[in-house]
Amino acid sequence: MLVIACSSAKAPGGRHLAEYGGDAGWPRELIEARARVLAQAGADDGRFLPAWQRYTGHFYKHAEPALAEAVASGRVLIISGGYGLVRADEPIAYYNRRLQLADWSPGLLERTLVAEACRVGARSVVGFLATSSDYARLFRRVDWRVSGAQVVLATIEGVQGGAQARVPRALGQAFSASWRQNPGGQPAGLAWEPLT
């Protein structure tokens, strides 16, 4: 399973939710928490796009086209400021909310991450997340032992100046190179932090 962060840059528009059909099957506690957070995030619930197409930040631009291939595998999960956790192909509304861990009940996102790893039968979980972000903090505090998966966090170290653009760009490149099994395409400063 691959875990990535949302981005503040988002594509507008989309289709009505009914056109997508189906329920994502998330636990009720997450659905209720999402409703509370999205109400504060100014979510436009009229139009929806699959999450990986809604987000358009530097990571997403530099992870293509490998990201589209990975999403087709059904094993890409996005940590989201408005949704908590969202499967990459899950339709989401346009919203504006950065991840704030205090928005979510203690342990909720951690339990849900492990449950998702178990649901997809993940033998490995790799997070591509900025090292000092709340996204990485969440990923690190999960008790991954319950999942039985090997877990690694990919981060970028040593970035001086312009980190808000350079780190997501480098993480997108790392994601792409990893998915394509192209070690030569890995960016400078890539670090692998084993968590299990």
Side-chain angles (χ1 to χ4, degrees):
M1 184 171 81
L2 303 169
V3 181
I4 60 179
C6 63
S7 73
S8 60
K10 296 174 185 68
R15 303 183 335 207
H16 293 287
L17 186 58
E19 295 179 46
Y20 291 98
D23 179 348
W26 290 110
R28 176 186 212 114
E29 186 181 5
L30 179 64
I31 292 168
E32 291 172 354
R34 279 178 170 182
R36 286 191 304 274
V37 173
L38 287 169
Q40 299 171 6
D44 172 10
D45 61 0
R47 300 283 183 181
F48 292 77
L49 284 173
W52 75 280
Q53 293 174 329
R54 175 70 73 197
Y55 301 120
T56 60
H58 295 290
F59 173 93
Y60 290 83
K61 290 176 185 171
H62 289 86
E64 279 294 337
L67 179 57
E69 296 167 8
V71 169
S73 77
R75 293 173 179 241
V76 178
L77 192 65
I78 301 171
I79 301 173
S80 162
Y83 284 80
L85 299 171
V86 62
R87 295 182 190 109
D89 61 352
E90 185 178 343
I92 63 169
Y94 188 95
Y95 70 92
N96 187 17
R97 184 83 170 185
R98 198 173 150 197
L99 179 69
Q100 297 176 43
L101 295 175
D103 285 344
W104 307 92
S105 302
L108 171 61
L109 298 181
E110 293 89 338
R111 288 189 307 275
T112 308
L113 274 162
V114 169
E116 186 68 4
C118 293
R119 185 189 73 80
V120 301
R123 287 180 275 174
S124 66
V125 177
V126 182
F128 292 86
L129 305 163
T131 192
S132 62
S133 67
D134 276 352
Y135 305 93
R137 280 187 203 94
L138 170 64
F139 193 81
R140 284 186 184 105
R141 70 185 194 191
V142 172
D143 184 1
W144 289 108
R145 294 171 299 173
V146 178
S147 72
Q150 293 293 317
V151 181
V152 176
L153 175 60
T155 61
I156 304 297
E157 296 179 346
V159 174
Q160 301 294 320
Q164 289 187 342
R166 292 175 61 200
V167 168
R169 181 182 309 128
L171 285 171
Q173 293 166 344
F175 180 98
S176 182
S178 296
W179 180 260
R180 296 275 170 89
Q181 299 179 352
N182 175 19
Q186 299 289 3
L190 178 64
W192 299 96
E193 179 183 336
L195 299 180
T196 58

